Short mmCIF file of all heavy atoms in Angstrom, two decimals:
data_model
loop_
_atom_site.label_atom_id
_atom_site.label_comp_id
_atom_site.label_asym_id
_atom_site.label_seq_id
_atom_site.Cartn_x
_atom_site.Cartn_y
_atom_site.Cartn_z
N MET C 1 22.05 -21.18 15.92
CA MET C 1 21.68 -20.06 15.08
C MET C 1 20.23 -19.71 15.33
O MET C 1 19.36 -20.56 15.34
CB MET C 1 21.89 -20.46 13.62
CG MET C 1 21.68 -19.35 12.67
SD MET C 1 22.32 -19.89 11.05
CE MET C 1 21.52 -18.72 10.05
N SER C 2 19.98 -18.45 15.57
CA SER C 2 18.60 -18.06 15.84
C SER C 2 18.08 -17.18 14.70
O SER C 2 18.84 -16.49 14.04
CB SER C 2 18.51 -17.30 17.15
OG SER C 2 19.16 -16.06 17.03
N SER C 3 16.82 -17.27 14.54
CA SER C 3 16.21 -16.40 13.52
C SER C 3 15.18 -15.51 14.21
O SER C 3 14.54 -15.91 15.16
CB SER C 3 15.56 -17.22 12.42
OG SER C 3 14.45 -17.90 12.94
N THR C 4 15.12 -14.32 13.74
CA THR C 4 14.12 -13.39 14.29
C THR C 4 13.18 -12.98 13.18
O THR C 4 13.59 -12.83 12.03
CB THR C 4 14.79 -12.13 14.88
OG1 THR C 4 15.58 -11.54 13.87
CG2 THR C 4 15.64 -12.48 16.08
N THR C 5 11.98 -12.83 13.58
CA THR C 5 11.00 -12.33 12.62
C THR C 5 10.48 -11.00 13.12
O THR C 5 10.21 -10.83 14.31
CB THR C 5 9.81 -13.30 12.44
OG1 THR C 5 9.59 -13.97 13.65
CG2 THR C 5 10.00 -14.25 11.32
N ARG C 6 10.41 -10.10 12.22
CA ARG C 6 9.88 -8.79 12.56
C ARG C 6 8.51 -8.62 11.94
O ARG C 6 8.33 -8.93 10.76
CB ARG C 6 10.79 -7.68 12.04
CG ARG C 6 12.07 -7.59 12.77
CD ARG C 6 12.82 -6.40 12.28
NE ARG C 6 14.02 -6.25 13.07
CZ ARG C 6 14.76 -5.18 13.06
NH1 ARG C 6 14.43 -4.17 12.31
NH2 ARG C 6 15.83 -5.10 13.80
N ALA C 7 7.63 -8.14 12.73
CA ALA C 7 6.30 -7.84 12.18
C ALA C 7 6.42 -6.59 11.32
O ALA C 7 7.06 -5.62 11.70
CB ALA C 7 5.31 -7.60 13.30
N ALA C 8 5.84 -6.67 10.15
CA ALA C 8 5.88 -5.51 9.27
C ALA C 8 4.96 -4.42 9.83
O ALA C 8 3.88 -4.70 10.33
CB ALA C 8 5.42 -5.90 7.87
N ARG C 9 5.47 -3.21 9.79
CA ARG C 9 4.64 -2.10 10.24
C ARG C 9 3.61 -1.78 9.17
O ARG C 9 3.94 -1.75 7.99
CB ARG C 9 5.49 -0.86 10.47
CG ARG C 9 6.31 -0.93 11.69
CD ARG C 9 6.96 0.38 11.94
NE ARG C 9 7.79 0.24 13.11
CZ ARG C 9 8.27 1.25 13.77
NH1 ARG C 9 8.03 2.47 13.36
NH2 ARG C 9 9.00 1.07 14.84
N PRO C 10 2.39 -1.53 9.59
CA PRO C 10 1.39 -1.14 8.59
C PRO C 10 1.74 0.21 8.00
O PRO C 10 2.23 1.09 8.70
CB PRO C 10 0.08 -1.08 9.38
CG PRO C 10 0.49 -0.97 10.80
CD PRO C 10 1.86 -1.57 10.93
N VAL C 11 1.55 0.32 6.70
CA VAL C 11 1.83 1.59 6.03
C VAL C 11 0.59 2.46 6.15
O VAL C 11 -0.49 2.04 5.74
CB VAL C 11 2.19 1.35 4.55
CG1 VAL C 11 2.42 2.67 3.84
CG2 VAL C 11 3.39 0.45 4.45
N PRO C 12 0.71 3.66 6.69
CA PRO C 12 -0.48 4.50 6.80
C PRO C 12 -0.95 4.99 5.44
O PRO C 12 -0.14 5.19 4.53
CB PRO C 12 0.00 5.67 7.67
CG PRO C 12 1.47 5.71 7.52
CD PRO C 12 1.91 4.30 7.22
N ALA C 13 -2.23 5.15 5.33
CA ALA C 13 -2.80 5.67 4.09
C ALA C 13 -2.74 7.19 4.09
O ALA C 13 -2.82 7.83 5.13
CB ALA C 13 -4.24 5.20 3.95
N CYS C 14 -2.58 7.74 2.91
CA CYS C 14 -2.61 9.20 2.78
C CYS C 14 -4.08 9.63 2.79
O CYS C 14 -4.85 9.21 1.93
CB CYS C 14 -1.95 9.63 1.47
SG CYS C 14 -2.12 11.41 1.18
N PRO C 15 -4.46 10.46 3.73
CA PRO C 15 -5.87 10.86 3.82
C PRO C 15 -6.34 11.68 2.64
O PRO C 15 -7.55 11.76 2.38
CB PRO C 15 -5.92 11.71 5.10
CG PRO C 15 -4.70 11.34 5.87
CD PRO C 15 -3.66 10.99 4.84
N ILE C 16 -5.43 12.31 1.91
CA ILE C 16 -5.88 13.18 0.81
C ILE C 16 -5.64 12.56 -0.57
O ILE C 16 -5.90 13.19 -1.58
CB ILE C 16 -5.23 14.57 0.89
CG1 ILE C 16 -3.73 14.48 0.87
CG2 ILE C 16 -5.71 15.30 2.13
CD1 ILE C 16 -3.05 15.85 0.88
N ARG C 17 -5.12 11.34 -0.60
CA ARG C 17 -4.99 10.61 -1.87
C ARG C 17 -5.61 9.24 -1.64
O ARG C 17 -4.91 8.27 -1.36
CB ARG C 17 -3.52 10.48 -2.26
CG ARG C 17 -2.86 11.81 -2.56
CD ARG C 17 -1.47 11.63 -3.08
NE ARG C 17 -0.68 10.77 -2.21
CZ ARG C 17 0.38 10.08 -2.61
NH1 ARG C 17 0.77 10.15 -3.85
NH2 ARG C 17 1.05 9.34 -1.76
N PRO C 18 -6.92 9.16 -1.74
CA PRO C 18 -7.62 7.92 -1.41
C PRO C 18 -7.04 6.71 -2.13
O PRO C 18 -6.79 6.74 -3.33
CB PRO C 18 -9.05 8.20 -1.87
CG PRO C 18 -9.18 9.69 -1.80
CD PRO C 18 -7.82 10.22 -2.17
N GLY C 19 -6.79 5.66 -1.36
CA GLY C 19 -6.28 4.43 -1.92
C GLY C 19 -4.76 4.38 -2.04
O GLY C 19 -4.20 3.37 -2.43
N GLU C 20 -4.10 5.48 -1.70
CA GLU C 20 -2.64 5.54 -1.82
C GLU C 20 -2.00 5.53 -0.42
O GLU C 20 -2.54 6.13 0.51
CB GLU C 20 -2.22 6.83 -2.52
CG GLU C 20 -2.76 6.97 -3.92
CD GLU C 20 -2.08 6.03 -4.90
OE1 GLU C 20 -0.89 5.74 -4.69
OE2 GLU C 20 -2.76 5.58 -5.83
N PRO C 21 -0.85 4.91 -0.30
CA PRO C 21 -0.16 4.96 0.98
C PRO C 21 0.55 6.30 1.16
O PRO C 21 0.81 7.01 0.18
CB PRO C 21 0.89 3.83 0.85
CG PRO C 21 1.15 3.76 -0.63
CD PRO C 21 -0.15 4.12 -1.31
N CYS C 22 0.86 6.63 2.39
CA CYS C 22 1.66 7.83 2.64
C CYS C 22 3.07 7.57 2.15
O CYS C 22 3.70 6.59 2.55
CB CYS C 22 1.66 8.18 4.13
SG CYS C 22 2.78 9.56 4.51
N THR C 23 3.55 8.43 1.28
CA THR C 23 4.90 8.28 0.74
C THR C 23 5.86 9.32 1.32
O THR C 23 6.95 9.51 0.80
CB THR C 23 4.88 8.41 -0.80
OG1 THR C 23 4.31 9.68 -1.13
CG2 THR C 23 4.08 7.30 -1.44
N LEU C 24 5.43 9.99 2.36
CA LEU C 24 6.25 11.03 3.00
C LEU C 24 6.68 12.08 1.97
O LEU C 24 7.84 12.49 1.93
CB LEU C 24 7.47 10.41 3.69
CG LEU C 24 7.17 9.33 4.74
CD1 LEU C 24 8.45 8.76 5.29
CD2 LEU C 24 6.28 9.85 5.85
N CYS C 25 5.71 12.51 1.15
CA CYS C 25 6.03 13.43 0.06
C CYS C 25 6.28 14.86 0.54
O CYS C 25 6.77 15.67 -0.24
CB CYS C 25 4.93 13.39 -0.99
SG CYS C 25 3.37 14.13 -0.46
N GLN C 26 5.95 15.15 1.77
CA GLN C 26 6.18 16.48 2.30
C GLN C 26 7.47 16.49 3.13
O GLN C 26 7.89 15.47 3.67
CB GLN C 26 5.00 16.92 3.18
CG GLN C 26 3.66 16.94 2.43
CD GLN C 26 3.65 17.95 1.30
OE1 GLN C 26 3.91 19.13 1.51
NE2 GLN C 26 3.37 17.49 0.09
N VAL C 27 8.04 17.66 3.23
CA VAL C 27 9.31 17.80 3.95
C VAL C 27 9.07 17.68 5.46
O VAL C 27 8.11 18.23 5.99
CB VAL C 27 9.95 19.17 3.62
CG1 VAL C 27 11.21 19.40 4.46
CG2 VAL C 27 10.26 19.26 2.14
N ASP C 28 9.96 16.96 6.13
CA ASP C 28 9.95 16.87 7.59
C ASP C 28 8.68 16.27 8.18
O ASP C 28 8.23 16.71 9.24
CB ASP C 28 10.21 18.24 8.22
CG ASP C 28 11.64 18.68 8.05
OD1 ASP C 28 12.50 17.80 7.85
OD2 ASP C 28 11.90 19.88 8.12
N VAL C 29 8.08 15.31 7.51
CA VAL C 29 6.92 14.65 8.10
C VAL C 29 7.28 13.21 8.44
O VAL C 29 8.17 12.62 7.83
CB VAL C 29 5.68 14.67 7.17
CG1 VAL C 29 5.29 16.08 6.83
CG2 VAL C 29 5.90 13.85 5.92
N THR C 30 6.59 12.67 9.43
CA THR C 30 6.79 11.26 9.76
C THR C 30 5.57 10.43 9.37
O THR C 30 5.55 9.24 9.55
CB THR C 30 7.04 11.09 11.28
OG1 THR C 30 5.91 11.58 11.99
CG2 THR C 30 8.29 11.85 11.72
N GLY C 31 4.55 11.09 8.82
CA GLY C 31 3.34 10.40 8.40
C GLY C 31 2.19 11.37 8.36
O GLY C 31 2.36 12.57 8.57
N PRO C 32 0.98 10.86 8.09
CA PRO C 32 -0.19 11.73 8.01
C PRO C 32 -0.44 12.52 9.31
O PRO C 32 -1.00 13.62 9.26
CB PRO C 32 -1.34 10.76 7.75
CG PRO C 32 -0.72 9.54 7.18
CD PRO C 32 0.65 9.47 7.78
N GLN C 33 0.01 11.97 10.43
CA GLN C 33 -0.29 12.62 11.70
C GLN C 33 0.38 13.98 11.87
O GLN C 33 -0.11 14.82 12.61
CB GLN C 33 0.08 11.70 12.89
CG GLN C 33 1.55 11.42 13.06
CD GLN C 33 2.09 10.34 12.14
OE1 GLN C 33 1.35 9.75 11.36
NE2 GLN C 33 3.38 10.08 12.22
N ASP C 34 1.47 14.22 11.17
CA ASP C 34 2.10 15.54 11.29
C ASP C 34 2.32 16.19 9.91
O ASP C 34 3.21 17.01 9.74
CB ASP C 34 3.40 15.48 12.09
CG ASP C 34 4.45 14.57 11.46
OD1 ASP C 34 4.17 13.98 10.40
OD2 ASP C 34 5.54 14.45 12.04
N CYS C 35 1.48 15.80 8.96
CA CYS C 35 1.57 16.35 7.61
C CYS C 35 0.80 17.66 7.53
O CYS C 35 -0.41 17.70 7.76
CB CYS C 35 1.02 15.33 6.61
SG CYS C 35 0.94 15.97 4.93
N GLY C 36 1.48 18.72 7.19
CA GLY C 36 0.85 20.02 7.09
C GLY C 36 -0.16 20.10 5.98
O GLY C 36 -1.18 20.81 6.09
N LEU C 37 0.08 19.38 4.90
CA LEU C 37 -0.86 19.39 3.78
C LEU C 37 -2.18 18.74 4.19
O LEU C 37 -3.27 19.25 3.89
CB LEU C 37 -0.26 18.68 2.58
CG LEU C 37 -1.03 18.77 1.27
CD1 LEU C 37 -1.29 20.22 0.88
CD2 LEU C 37 -0.27 18.07 0.17
N VAL C 38 -2.10 17.64 4.90
CA VAL C 38 -3.32 16.99 5.40
C VAL C 38 -4.05 17.94 6.35
O VAL C 38 -5.27 18.08 6.28
CB VAL C 38 -2.97 15.66 6.12
CG1 VAL C 38 -4.16 15.10 6.87
CG2 VAL C 38 -2.46 14.64 5.12
N TRP C 39 -3.31 18.61 7.19
CA TRP C 39 -3.90 19.55 8.15
C TRP C 39 -4.64 20.66 7.40
O TRP C 39 -5.77 21.01 7.75
CB TRP C 39 -2.79 20.12 9.04
CG TRP C 39 -3.28 21.04 10.09
CD1 TRP C 39 -3.82 20.70 11.30
CD2 TRP C 39 -3.27 22.46 10.03
NE1 TRP C 39 -4.16 21.84 11.99
CE2 TRP C 39 -3.82 22.93 11.24
CE3 TRP C 39 -2.84 23.38 9.09
CZ2 TRP C 39 -3.96 24.28 11.51
CZ3 TRP C 39 -2.98 24.73 9.37
CH2 TRP C 39 -3.53 25.18 10.57
N LEU C 40 -4.00 21.19 6.36
CA LEU C 40 -4.64 22.27 5.59
C LEU C 40 -5.88 21.79 4.86
O LEU C 40 -6.93 22.43 4.90
CB LEU C 40 -3.64 22.83 4.57
CG LEU C 40 -2.60 23.78 5.10
CD1 LEU C 40 -1.59 24.11 4.01
CD2 LEU C 40 -3.24 25.05 5.62
N VAL C 41 -5.75 20.66 4.16
CA VAL C 41 -6.87 20.15 3.35
C VAL C 41 -8.04 19.75 4.25
O VAL C 41 -9.19 20.11 3.98
CB VAL C 41 -6.42 18.96 2.47
CG1 VAL C 41 -7.61 18.28 1.83
CG2 VAL C 41 -5.44 19.44 1.41
N MET C 42 -7.76 19.03 5.31
CA MET C 42 -8.84 18.55 6.16
C MET C 42 -9.45 19.66 7.00
O MET C 42 -10.55 19.51 7.53
CB MET C 42 -8.33 17.40 7.05
CG MET C 42 -7.98 16.18 6.24
SD MET C 42 -9.23 15.76 4.99
CE MET C 42 -9.01 14.02 4.87
N GLY C 43 -8.77 20.78 7.08
CA GLY C 43 -9.31 21.92 7.82
C GLY C 43 -10.17 22.83 6.96
O GLY C 43 -10.75 23.80 7.46
N ASP C 44 -10.26 22.54 5.67
CA ASP C 44 -11.05 23.37 4.75
C ASP C 44 -12.27 22.56 4.30
O ASP C 44 -12.13 21.46 3.76
CB ASP C 44 -10.18 23.75 3.55
CG ASP C 44 -10.92 24.64 2.57
OD1 ASP C 44 -11.69 24.09 1.74
OD2 ASP C 44 -10.73 25.86 2.64
N ASP C 45 -13.44 23.12 4.51
CA ASP C 45 -14.69 22.38 4.22
C ASP C 45 -14.77 21.92 2.77
O ASP C 45 -15.12 20.77 2.48
CB ASP C 45 -15.91 23.23 4.55
CG ASP C 45 -16.08 23.44 6.05
OD1 ASP C 45 -15.45 22.69 6.82
OD2 ASP C 45 -16.83 24.36 6.44
N GLU C 46 -14.45 22.82 1.83
CA GLU C 46 -14.57 22.46 0.40
C GLU C 46 -13.55 21.41 0.00
O GLU C 46 -13.86 20.46 -0.73
CB GLU C 46 -14.38 23.70 -0.48
CG GLU C 46 -15.64 24.51 -0.65
CD GLU C 46 -15.47 25.61 -1.67
OE1 GLU C 46 -14.88 25.36 -2.74
OE2 GLU C 46 -15.90 26.73 -1.38
N LEU C 47 -12.33 21.58 0.45
CA LEU C 47 -11.28 20.61 0.09
C LEU C 47 -11.57 19.25 0.71
O LEU C 47 -11.38 18.21 0.06
CB LEU C 47 -9.90 21.12 0.52
CG LEU C 47 -9.41 22.37 -0.22
CD1 LEU C 47 -8.07 22.81 0.34
CD2 LEU C 47 -9.32 22.11 -1.71
N ARG C 48 -12.03 19.27 1.95
CA ARG C 48 -12.35 18.00 2.61
C ARG C 48 -13.49 17.30 1.87
O ARG C 48 -13.48 16.08 1.69
CB ARG C 48 -12.71 18.24 4.07
CG ARG C 48 -12.80 16.96 4.88
CD ARG C 48 -13.01 17.23 6.36
NE ARG C 48 -14.21 18.00 6.61
CZ ARG C 48 -14.23 19.26 7.07
NH1 ARG C 48 -13.12 19.88 7.36
NH2 ARG C 48 -15.37 19.89 7.24
N ALA C 49 -14.48 18.08 1.41
CA ALA C 49 -15.59 17.49 0.64
C ALA C 49 -15.06 16.90 -0.67
O ALA C 49 -15.53 15.86 -1.13
CB ALA C 49 -16.66 18.53 0.39
N GLY C 50 -14.10 17.58 -1.29
CA GLY C 50 -13.51 17.07 -2.53
C GLY C 50 -12.79 15.75 -2.30
O GLY C 50 -12.89 14.83 -3.12
N VAL C 51 -12.08 15.64 -1.20
CA VAL C 51 -11.40 14.38 -0.88
C VAL C 51 -12.44 13.29 -0.68
O VAL C 51 -12.29 12.16 -1.17
CB VAL C 51 -10.53 14.54 0.39
CG1 VAL C 51 -10.05 13.18 0.89
CG2 VAL C 51 -9.35 15.44 0.11
N HIS C 52 -13.52 13.63 0.00
CA HIS C 52 -14.58 12.65 0.25
C HIS C 52 -15.19 12.19 -1.08
O HIS C 52 -15.40 10.99 -1.29
CB HIS C 52 -15.66 13.26 1.14
CG HIS C 52 -16.76 12.31 1.49
ND1 HIS C 52 -16.57 11.18 2.26
CD2 HIS C 52 -18.06 12.32 1.15
CE1 HIS C 52 -17.71 10.53 2.36
NE2 HIS C 52 -18.64 11.20 1.71
N ARG C 53 -15.42 13.13 -2.00
CA ARG C 53 -15.99 12.77 -3.31
C ARG C 53 -15.05 11.85 -4.07
O ARG C 53 -15.47 10.86 -4.67
CB ARG C 53 -16.28 14.02 -4.13
CG ARG C 53 -17.60 14.71 -3.77
CD ARG C 53 -17.98 15.73 -4.83
NE ARG C 53 -16.97 16.77 -4.99
CZ ARG C 53 -16.91 17.88 -4.26
NH1 ARG C 53 -17.80 18.10 -3.33
NH2 ARG C 53 -15.96 18.78 -4.47
N SER C 54 -13.77 12.16 -4.05
CA SER C 54 -12.83 11.32 -4.81
C SER C 54 -12.67 9.95 -4.15
O SER C 54 -12.45 8.95 -4.83
CB SER C 54 -11.47 12.01 -4.98
OG SER C 54 -10.89 12.28 -3.74
N ARG C 55 -12.86 9.89 -2.85
CA ARG C 55 -12.80 8.59 -2.17
C ARG C 55 -13.97 7.72 -2.62
O ARG C 55 -13.82 6.52 -2.86
CB ARG C 55 -12.84 8.79 -0.65
CG ARG C 55 -12.67 7.53 0.14
CD ARG C 55 -12.48 7.82 1.60
NE ARG C 55 -11.23 8.52 1.83
CZ ARG C 55 -11.03 9.44 2.76
NH1 ARG C 55 -12.01 9.79 3.55
NH2 ARG C 55 -9.87 10.01 2.90
N LEU C 56 -15.15 8.34 -2.75
CA LEU C 56 -16.32 7.59 -3.18
C LEU C 56 -16.18 7.13 -4.63
O LEU C 56 -16.70 6.08 -5.01
CB LEU C 56 -17.58 8.45 -3.04
CG LEU C 56 -17.99 8.79 -1.61
CD1 LEU C 56 -19.19 9.72 -1.60
CD2 LEU C 56 -18.27 7.54 -0.80
N ALA C 57 -15.47 7.92 -5.44
CA ALA C 57 -15.33 7.60 -6.86
C ALA C 57 -14.16 6.65 -7.13
O ALA C 57 -14.06 6.09 -8.22
CB ALA C 57 -15.11 8.88 -7.66
N ALA C 58 -13.30 6.45 -6.14
CA ALA C 58 -12.10 5.63 -6.36
C ALA C 58 -12.49 4.17 -6.55
O ALA C 58 -13.40 3.67 -5.90
CB ALA C 58 -11.16 5.75 -5.15
N PRO C 59 -11.80 3.50 -7.48
CA PRO C 59 -12.05 2.07 -7.65
C PRO C 59 -11.68 1.31 -6.37
O PRO C 59 -10.70 1.67 -5.71
CB PRO C 59 -11.13 1.66 -8.81
CG PRO C 59 -10.26 2.82 -9.11
CD PRO C 59 -10.76 4.00 -8.33
N GLY C 60 -12.45 0.31 -6.05
CA GLY C 60 -12.19 -0.45 -4.83
C GLY C 60 -12.32 0.41 -3.61
O GLY C 60 -11.53 0.34 -2.70
N ARG C 61 -13.33 1.26 -3.65
CA ARG C 61 -13.48 2.28 -2.61
C ARG C 61 -13.48 1.69 -1.21
O ARG C 61 -13.96 0.61 -0.98
CB ARG C 61 -14.71 3.11 -2.90
CG ARG C 61 -15.95 2.73 -2.23
CD ARG C 61 -17.06 3.64 -2.64
NE ARG C 61 -17.95 3.77 -1.51
CZ ARG C 61 -19.27 3.80 -1.63
NH1 ARG C 61 -19.82 3.80 -2.79
NH2 ARG C 61 -20.00 3.89 -0.56
N ARG C 62 -12.87 2.46 -0.32
CA ARG C 62 -12.73 2.02 1.06
C ARG C 62 -13.57 2.84 1.98
O ARG C 62 -13.77 3.96 1.79
CB ARG C 62 -11.28 2.17 1.52
CG ARG C 62 -10.41 1.31 0.70
CD ARG C 62 -8.97 1.65 0.89
NE ARG C 62 -8.24 1.01 -0.19
CZ ARG C 62 -6.98 0.71 -0.11
NH1 ARG C 62 -6.30 0.97 0.93
NH2 ARG C 62 -6.39 0.14 -1.12
S1 LIG S 1 3.25 13.26 3.43
FE1 LIG S 1 1.15 13.99 3.64
S2 LIG S 1 0.44 14.44 1.57
FE2 LIG S 1 2.32 13.22 1.40
S3 LIG S 1 1.57 11.13 1.18
FE3 LIG S 1 1.95 11.48 3.37
S4 LIG S 1 0.01 12.15 4.24
FE4 LIG S 1 -0.13 12.34 2.02
#
């Protein structure tokens, strides 16, 4: 009898919800890399600054 161990895949973080993992909350996405919401938010100076501010304010900031 053999046993196999699988390495757990790291869960990507959601770039626009600091401290939260990507939950695939958008339709037809495979992660942050093809998330349209991330693309929109990170492409806007004000929104990106807001994400940065909330990241700094988040407990256990990363
Ligand atoms: S699908 Fe996009 S918005 Fe939703 S958690 Fe993942 S990265 Fe964040």
Side-chain angles (χ1 to χ4, degrees):
M1 186 168 163
S2 68
S3 68
T4 56
T5 31
R6 289 186 175 193
R9 286 188 182 195
V11 177
C14 174
I16 58 177
R17 296 186 308 156
E20 299 288 328
C22 174
T23 57
L24 304 177
C25 70
Q26 301 297 304
V27 175
D28 288 338
V29 301
T30 60
Q33 67 279 359
D34 61 0
C35 174
L37 188 56
V38 169
W39 183 81
L40 282 172
V41 170
M42 293 315 208
D44 182 278
D45 290 345
E46 276 188 44
L47 294 178
R48 191 174 58 248
V51 169
H52 182 66
R53 279 193 300 274
S54 60
R55 185 170 294 146
L56 293 176
R61 96 180 212 220
R62 298 167 194 204

